[in-house]
Amino acid sequence: MLGLMQSQPLLISSLIHFAERHHGDAEIVSRRVEGDLHRYTWRDVAARSRQVANTLDSLKLGFGDRVATLAWNGYRHLELYFGVSGSGRVLHTINPRLHPDQIVWIANHAEDQVLFFDMSFLPIVQAVHARCTTVKHWVALCDADKLPADSGIPNLLSYEALLGQQPTGYAWPSFDENCASSMCYTSGTTGNPKAALYSHRSTILHAYAAALPDVMCLSARDAILPVVPMFHVNAWGIPYSAALTGAKLVFPGPALDGKSVYELIEAEKVSYAAGVPTVWQMLLGHMKPNNLRFSTLKRTVIGGSACPPAMITAFNDDYGVEVLHAWGMTEMSPLGTLCTLKNKHLSLSDADKMKIRLKQGRAIYGVDMKIVGDDGTELPWDGKAFGDLYVKGPWIVREYFKGEGGDPLKDGWFPTGDVATIDPDGYMQITDRSKDVIKSGGEWISSIDIENIAVAHPAVAMAACVGMPHPKWDERPIVAVVKKPGAEVTREELLEFYKGKAVAKWQVPDDVVFVEAIPLGATGKMLKTRLREMLKDYKLPGL
Amino acid sequence: MLGLMQSQPLLISSLIHFAERHHGDAEIVSRRVEGDLHRYTWRDVAARSRQVANTLDSLKLGFGDRVATLAWNGYRHLELYFGVSGSGRVLHTINPRLHPDQIVWIANHAEDQVLFFDMSFLPIVQAVHARCTTVKHWVALCDADKLPADSGIPNLLSYEALLGQQPTGYAWPSFDENCASSMCYTSGTTGNPKAALYSHRSTILHAYAAALPDVMCLSARDAILPVVPMFHVNAWGIPYSAALTGAKLVFPGPALDGKSVYELIEAEKVSYAAGVPTVWQMLLGHMKPNNLRFSTLKRTVIGGSACPPAMITAFNDDYGVEVLHAWGMTEMSPLGTLCTLKNKHLSLSDADKMKIRLKQGRAIYGVDMKIVGDDGTELPWDGKAFGDLYVKGPWIVREYFKGEGGDPLKDGWFPTGDVATIDPDGYMQITDRSKDVIKSGGEWISSIDIENIAVAHPAVAMAACVGMPHPKWDERPIVAVVKKPGAEVTREELLEFYKGKAVAKWQVPDDVVFVEAIPLGATGKMLKTRLREMLKDYKLPGL
């Protein structure tokens, strides 16, 4: 027997319709590529999203056609989020930090028909356009009079000119909520990039979940600064959840340095910000020497890579900002876990609460997770056993675009490639990427634990722990370290620093290697494969 | 092109699975019919829900069969919520405050196969069981040794005895998320009761929405006291949202007097409570003379009927408890709007914030609403124009069970039967039930405005405004008033009290009628049809 509730597909267009109708005058503030601050409202986003939809119609784009973007976080990108997906096309956000050859590969693989780009990415477009064989239209996100005369891009179009020709009226189509809405390629370090293809249904369910009090806790009272990029996994879904709640949005554009981000937070009374550790490091690095305080910022979500404990403590203790440690993946839309406390924890001491906050957190309803051993059996949730982390849920991939990489699921579960523990309260903690695990004398060593201790040293800017071959122990850990500008620390001092820390003696690295930089991928993650290549002639002390 | 996310139906069983796995030791505390406090955890709810499912299998109940309850808010009722719906049957919660004849009518209409009841409702069951022709099994929610020997109910079963025979293992079935999960009959004052038939999909979407920061703001840190009954519209969905968040639940059982509710809030450190104005009146009535304070309660949702401004002020100003004014209907699962502030309101004065809090609030994402005039055209959102309130969304009925009442929708919108204004910020305010609207000299008078002023008088316990026939003005308002015990007020004093209040002179009632009681329906709402019958011989002064 079927229920008798109204059947209404979960579509992204309903988000912008809702934001326009019920939160029409809530503000969207964007620092533009042009340098100035742009302000308008959800009502304007909605009207211009409909102009985007009409533009795509006029360009003869079909249902399901891919529309690519190379853009910063800003209002035009937001309009494309709703106009492209809302009209039934698939938004393909491209990470501009990828190598041009990779951009060409994924644009061709996605069969992008149009590519919208911020003018700061013109050099990339100039480098790739001739090789992107499916792209019929190149659109610069600027006014007509800002189009360079000699761009070298044939028939380069102006976004503002295109929109200006279109009416703001448009009836969002209704269709199956399982239709594709957007896509994002993983920054796979092995093989070709693979794309997660999100649906309208998965996006709306994720948008509900992401706004929950135990997740990002977003409301109409928030002013949200997504520093996390809209060109990667939809800025953790914030554009959708912001429309769902009618929150004010503040976009940083390309200005991600500490000073710019700090000034934007203060000027726009930002209550909530989301970003990766490297950006927050720049922010704190600007604030500390200048003795600055936050006057409105209450919470920040940190994810993308494990957040160093020292950063969580700094935000929490020094600045009164609650840090929500998060974990997710491109394949997970991206949110999987968030670290918020439970009722039973309310009476704990601050120190004991902090021990929990250091973990990646609990599963959000919609996501289930488990850890499995080498033989595939589920491991206990005792906070000690660690194994491969598997997940499932309605916003997690079942396969990649065009079937690349075959069937990734195992018995319906997606193997994340992370290695983790889960404690009896369901708090998960990543110990490693499975490919970065160090196995010494038959025991696993968590490279993240080793790195967290190193970056807690005042002279260390960044640290990466990798295993090096050893005839007796199979592998022994070493730590590659980037020193802070002007700071000094010796190998011996740093090894001494591990004493008394939460790490067994046999887990302390055998050596410290000082490097100029640690290679980072397009999403800011450390590329340990590349680091191992850099260190291919390295030998452990005494060997 | 379809997205490539995992396809996973939205099923109620996934809520209890989540709560068990990720919040296994969070507490469920129940004041029982037996009088004592019962404590256990989400892990226990899950195990016993599976025993319920096995019990229904053993009773040979089919997929989609209706299972009725006559029960207070308590842990056994919670197990039935998950065990009945999770196993594919339809939970039919019956309001024990209905007249026995009505209970017979709806049990037969629903074709209930089993009826589970709290022992305090044994007299009702004794009065109705012989006429409930489809019910095959009567199950008392008690231990075997508590079954009365001479109940008069043939083959009366004990819930605990039934569950004790069943294993705790059970694989929740997977099926179409649009299948019916539960049902609730409206307390229709005209014609036969009509049932809203909820689906698994509508329940899960509502559970996500209900927990949002702009709605009930539920998290794993909350201890929730649902005073609002589980026998009517699923206690506003709190059982589902509590499982979704892993919150602690505190059930009051039958003890809804001010003293019992207050002591439970304090003993169990309740942070959040939900109820109707009459119950909160009893709570405040107990606290004030005893000079009591709340030590943990932070927020309360009040709905079911319009909350008197004096109550919102008392909670907010005297007790530091945030009042969330809510509006919904049986046909809406039930939440439609909640009154929380927006970012633009944060800088308002307390007095101006209070003006907003008095309204029923903004639409939740998932619900859209509009007000229409007599000719069906949409009216402006100016906070002044008022018209019939229409709603639509995925947790709103499209038709009633068995097609009773025909097609209720108009162009896809459900007419709520309420009359309301909507202001430019989307805040809706109910002015009347459409059938209670008073039309005087061609202008509408809001009976709720008239009542709110009357109950603000210290001697008035309850007030109901109705229109009386008038040869010149068509109708003129009068107010029927119940005085507080021991309090005195005269007709003239009360009419004088309207002076200087926010009501035009021509809207002030023509008369005050003191009554012993105002007739209330099974859900605590004032029955104005019955009041008008009581006053059928009444004549306006001067006529």
Side-chain angles (χ1 to χ4, degrees):
Chain A
M1 186 168 68
L2 296 183
L4 293 171
M5 298 287 111
Q6 294 179 16
S7 61
Q8 191 169 295
L10 304 174
L11 298 177
I12 287 172
S13 55
S14 71
L15 289 171
I16 190 63
H17 179 76
F18 176 81
E20 176 182 34
R21 195 164 162 88
H22 299 277
H23 299 275
D25 67 357
E27 274 190 310
I28 314 292
V29 180
S30 310
R31 195 190 292 277
R32 303 205 297 174
V33 171
E34 291 89 329
D36 58 344
L37 269 193
H38 173 274
R39 323 182 74 88
Y40 73 167
T41 65
W42 278 111
R43 192 171 288 124
D44 301 309
V45 182
R48 285 171 50 100
S49 299
R50 293 190 295 266
Q51 287 178 305
V52 167
N54 283 321
T55 298
L56 298 176
D57 283 1
S58 75
L59 295 176
K60 308 286 181 215
L61 260 77
F63 189 85
D65 277 353
R66 269 73 71 204
V67 174
T69 61
L70 268 172
W72 297 108
N73 289 10
Y75 67 103
R76 290 168 178 142
H77 209 172
L78 189 68
E79 296 158 6
L80 289 165
Y81 264 56
F82 293 105
V84 171
S85 302
S87 67
R89 283 87 181 194
V90 178
L91 181 78
H92 173 205
T93 53
I94 300 180
N95 188 335
R97 298 201 179 108
L98 292 171
H99 188 279
D101 291 350
Q102 276 185 301
I103 293 178
V104 169
W105 192 92
I106 67 176
N108 287 336
H109 188 261
E111 301 170 48
D112 296 328
Q113 303 290 303
V114 189
L115 192 147
F116 293 87
F117 63 96
D118 269 331
M119 283 303 283
S120 44
F121 300 125
L122 180 61
I124 298 178
V125 172
Q126 287 169 327
V128 304
H129 77 94
R131 290 179 286 158
C132 294
T133 53
T134 62
V135 176
K136 299 189 186 77
H137 309 282
W138 300 88
V139 186
L141 294 167
C142 66
D143 290 318
D145 59 8
K146 294 283 193 322
L147 277 188
D150 52 353
S151 70
I153 321 286
N155 304 315
L156 181 61
L157 299 167
S158 144
Y159 179 76
E160 295 298 339
L162 280 176
L163 259 62
Q165 293 160 17
Q166 299 297 333
T168 56
Y170 180 85
W172 297 114
S174 185
F175 44 80
D176 182 346
E177 68 191 30
N178 292 299
C179 286
S181 60
S182 57
M183 67 196 301
C184 182
Y185 281 77
T186 62
S187 47
T189 46
T190 53
N192 285 323
K194 300 188 287 285
L197 192 66
Y198 312 114
S199 70
H200 286 260
R201 174 185 169 96
S202 70
T203 303
I204 299 290
L205 292 176
H206 185 273
Y208 268 125
L212 289 172
D214 275 325
V215 188
M216 295 204 275
C217 195
L218 304 180
S219 82
R221 288 167 300 295
D222 277 312
I224 307 172
L225 176 78
V227 178
V228 57
M230 291 169 75
F231 57 68
H232 191 65
V233 211
N234 306 322
W236 300 351
I238 288 174
Y240 306 118
S241 291
L244 181 147
T245 57
K248 171 177 174 174
L249 269 175
V250 183
F251 288 121
L256 302 180
D257 61 286
K259 182 167 185 289
S260 300
V261 169
Y262 175 77
E263 287 174 359
L264 198 58
I265 288 172
E266 288 300 301
E268 296 302 328
K269 297 186 166 59
V270 167
S271 59
Y272 175 81
V276 294
T278 42
V279 172
W280 289 159
Q281 205 80 58
M282 291 192 286
L283 176 62
L284 295 179
H286 169 72
M287 291 180 68
K288 201 164 181 191
N290 293 295
N291 272 317
L292 299 171
R293 313 292 306 166
F294 293 117
S295 47
T296 56
L297 190 69
K298 297 278 186 303
R299 308 183 314 286
T300 174
V301 159
I302 303 186
S305 49
C307 181
M311 184 179 289
I312 299 184
T313 314
F315 268 112
N316 197 76
D317 299 354
D318 303 345
Y319 296 101
V321 173
E322 187 188 8
V323 171
L324 304 167
H325 206 177
W327 170 81
M329 300 181 77
T330 304
E331 289 88 341
M332 298 176 69
S333 300
L335 294 175
T337 65
L338 239 99
C339 196
T340 56
L341 302 181
K342 294 183 169 186
N343 186 273
K344 64 188 281 188
H345 299 135
L346 294 179
S347 55
L348 290 182
S349 70
D350 285 351
D352 285 338
K353 284 179 182 168
M354 186 54 72
K355 279 182 199 155
I356 299 168
R357 289 187 190 282
L358 298 182
K359 304 189 175 191
Q360 269 78 14
R362 304 182 275 110
I364 305 162
Y365 169 72
V367 172
D368 202 356
M369 61 181 180
K370 65 176 180 180
I371 44 174
V372 300
D374 288 338
D375 60 355
T377 56
E378 186 166 358
L379 296 173
W381 292 19
D382 57 11
K384 289 171 195 147
F386 54 106
D388 290 312
L389 180 64
Y390 283 37
V391 291
K392 67 175 176 183
W395 56 78
I396 296 169
V397 293
R398 66 165 185 267
E399 57 180 300
Y400 292 101
F401 184 52
K402 294 185 173 175
E404 295 286 337
D407 177 8
L409 302 195
K410 295 190 177 176
D411 289 333
W413 293 78
F414 177 78
T416 64
D418 279 321
V419 174
T421 61
I422 305 178
D423 72 18
D425 290 324
Y427 288 79
M428 183 273 289
Q429 186 163 26
I430 305 277
T431 58
D432 254 310
R433 288 293 294 169
S434 58
K435 63 182 186 301
D436 296 332
V437 155
I438 299 161
K439 211 163 183 182
S440 174
E443 297 284 339
W444 283 4
I445 294 174
S446 162
S447 61
I448 293 175
D449 284 351
I450 305 298
E451 290 156 7
N452 280 342
I453 294 171
V455 295
H457 190 286
V460 173
M462 201 179 286
C465 175
V466 290
M468 285 292 151
H470 190 283
K472 179 173 175 189
W473 305 110
D474 289 333
E475 282 190 315
R476 286 298 301 157
I478 66 160
V479 59
V481 163
V482 181
K483 281 184 272 195
K484 283 188 186 160
E488 274 309 326
V489 60
T490 64
R491 171 187 183 277
E492 288 67 30
E493 282 164 355
L494 199 54
L495 291 178
E496 184 70 18
F497 190 67
Y498 277 87
K499 281 194 186 158
K501 300 292 189 302
V503 64
K505 203 173 168 190
W506 61 271
Q507 296 171 328
V508 173
D510 278 11
D511 199 7
V512 176
V513 180
F514 293 101
V515 293
E516 285 297 306
I518 288 165
L520 298 179
T523 58
K525 285 179 187 158
M526 297 192 289
L527 293 180
K528 294 200 180 172
T529 39
R530 192 109 25 112
L531 178 64
R532 283 190 214 96
E533 282 166 28
M534 280 167 56
L535 298 172
K536 68 180 188 304
D537 298 326
Y538 171 87
K539 287 230 163 9
L540 283 165
L543 292 187
Chain B
M1 187 169 67
L2 296 182
L4 293 171
M5 298 287 112
Q6 295 179 17
S7 63
Q8 190 170 296
L10 303 174
L11 297 178
I12 287 173
S13 55
S14 71
L15 290 171
I16 191 63
H17 179 75
F18 176 81
E20 176 181 35
R21 195 164 162 86
H22 299 277
H23 299 275
D25 67 356
E27 275 192 309
I28 314 294
V29 180
S30 310
R31 196 189 292 277
R32 303 205 298 174
V33 171
E34 291 89 329
D36 58 345
L37 268 193
H38 173 275
R39 325 182 72 87
Y40 73 168
T41 66
W42 279 112
R43 192 172 288 125
D44 300 310
V45 182
R48 283 170 53 99
S49 299
R50 293 190 294 264
Q51 287 179 305
V52 167
N54 282 320
T55 298
L56 299 175
D57 283 1
S58 75
L59 295 174
K60 308 285 181 216
L61 260 77
F63 189 85
D65 276 355
R66 269 74 70 204
V67 173
T69 62
L70 268 173
W72 298 107
N73 290 10
Y75 67 103
R76 289 166 177 144
H77 209 172
L78 188 68
E79 295 158 8
L80 289 164
Y81 265 56
F82 293 105
V84 170
S85 302
S87 67
R89 283 85 181 195
V90 178
L91 181 78
H92 173 205
T93 54
I94 300 180
N95 188 335
R97 299 202 179 107
L98 292 171
H99 189 279
D101 291 350
Q102 276 185 301
I103 292 178
V104 169
W105 191 91
I106 65 174
N108 287 335
H109 188 261
E111 303 171 50
D112 296 327
Q113 302 291 302
V114 189
L115 192 146
F116 293 86
F117 64 96
D118 269 331
M119 283 304 283
S120 45
F121 300 127
L122 181 60
I124 298 177
V125 173
Q126 287 169 327
V128 304
H129 78 95
R131 291 180 285 157
C132 293
T133 54
T134 61
V135 177
K136 298 189 187 79
H137 309 282
W138 300 88
V139 186
L141 295 166
C142 66
D143 289 318
D145 60 6
K146 295 283 195 323
L147 278 187
D150 53 351
S151 70
I153 321 287
N155 305 315
L156 181 59
L157 299 167
S158 144
Y159 179 75
E160 295 298 339
L162 281 177
L163 259 61
Q165 294 161 15
Q166 299 298 333
T168 56
Y170 180 84
W172 297 114
S174 186
F175 44 79
D176 181 348
E177 67 191 30
N178 292 298
C179 286
S181 61
S182 57
M183 67 196 300
C184 182
Y185 281 78
T186 63
S187 48
T189 46
T190 51
N192 285 324
K194 299 188 288 285
L197 193 66
Y198 311 114
S199 69
H200 285 260
R201 175 183 167 98
S202 71
T203 303
I204 299 289
L205 292 177
H206 185 273
Y208 268 125
L212 289 172
D214 275 325
V215 188
M216 295 204 275
C217 195
L218 304 180
S219 81
R221 288 167 298 295
D222 278 311
I224 307 172
L225 177 78
V227 178
V228 57
M230 290 169 75
F231 58 68
H232 192 65
V233 212
N234 305 324
W236 299 351
I238 289 175
Y240 306 119
S241 292
L244 182 146
T245 55
K248 171 177 175 174
L249 269 174
V250 182
F251 289 120
L256 301 181
D257 62 285
K259 183 169 185 289
S260 300
V261 169
Y262 175 77
E263 288 174 358
L264 198 58
I265 287 172
E266 288 299 301
E268 297 301 329
K269 299 186 164 57
V270 167
S271 59
Y272 175 82
V276 295
T278 43
V279 172
W280 289 159
Q281 205 80 61
M282 292 192 286
L283 176 62
L284 295 179
H286 169 72
M287 290 179 68
K288 200 164 182 189
N290 294 296
N291 273 316
L292 299 171
R293 314 291 305 167
F294 292 117
S295 47
T296 57
L297 190 70
K298 298 279 186 302
R299 308 183 317 283
T300 174
V301 158
I302 303 187
S305 49
C307 181
M311 182 178 291
I312 297 184
T313 313
F315 267 112
N316 197 75
D317 298 355
D318 302 346
Y319 296 101
V321 173
E322 186 189 8
V323 171
L324 304 168
H325 206 177
W327 171 81
M329 300 181 79
T330 303
E331 289 88 341
M332 298 175 70
S333 301
L335 294 174
T337 65
L338 239 98
C339 196
T340 54
L341 302 181
K342 294 182 171 186
N343 185 274
K344 65 190 279 188
H345 298 135
L346 294 178
S347 55
L348 291 181
S349 70
D350 284 351
D352 285 338
K353 284 179 183 169
M354 186 55 71
K355 278 182 200 155
I356 298 168
R357 290 186 189 282
L358 299 181
K359 304 190 176 192
Q360 269 76 14
R362 303 182 275 111
I364 304 162
Y365 168 73
V367 172
D368 202 359
M369 62 182 178
K370 65 176 180 180
I371 45 175
V372 301
D374 288 340
D375 59 357
T377 56
E378 186 167 358
L379 296 173
W381 292 19
D382 58 9
K384 288 171 195 144
F386 54 105
D388 292 311
L389 180 64
Y390 284 36
V391 291
K392 68 175 174 183
W395 56 77
I396 297 170
V397 293
R398 68 163 185 265
E399 58 180 300
Y400 292 101
F401 184 52
K402 293 184 173 177
E404 295 285 338
D407 176 9
L409 302 195
K410 294 189 178 175
D411 290 331
W413 293 78
F414 177 78
T416 64
D418 279 320
V419 174
T421 62
I422 305 179
D423 73 17
D425 290 324
Y427 288 80
M428 184 274 290
Q429 187 162 28
I430 304 278
T431 59
D432 253 310
R433 288 292 293 169
S434 57
K435 61 184 188 299
D436 296 332
V437 156
I438 300 161
K439 210 162 183 182
S440 175
E443 297 284 340
W444 284 4
I445 295 174
S446 162
S447 62
I448 293 174
D449 284 350
I450 305 298
E451 290 156 7
N452 280 341
I453 294 171
V455 295
H457 190 284
V460 173
M462 202 179 285
C465 175
V466 291
M468 286 291 154
H470 189 283
K472 180 173 175 190
W473 304 109
D474 290 332
E475 282 189 315
R476 285 298 300 158
I478 67 162
V479 61
V481 162
V482 181
K483 282 185 271 197
K484 283 187 186 162
E488 275 309 328
V489 60
T490 65
R491 171 188 182 278
E492 287 67 30
E493 283 164 353
L494 199 54
L495 291 178
E496 184 70 17
F497 189 67
Y498 278 86
K499 281 196 186 156
K501 300 291 190 301
V503 64
K505 204 173 167 189
W506 61 271
Q507 296 171 326
V508 173
D510 278 12
D511 199 6
V512 176
V513 181
F514 293 100
V515 293
E516 286 296 306
I518 288 165
L520 298 180
T523 56
K525 286 179 186 157
M526 296 193 290
L527 293 179
K528 294 200 180 172
T529 40
R530 192 113 20 115
L531 178 64
R532 283 189 213 97
E533 283 167 27
M534 280 167 56
L535 299 172
K536 67 181 188 303
D537 298 327
Y538 171 88
K539 288 231 162 13
L540 281 166
L543 293 187

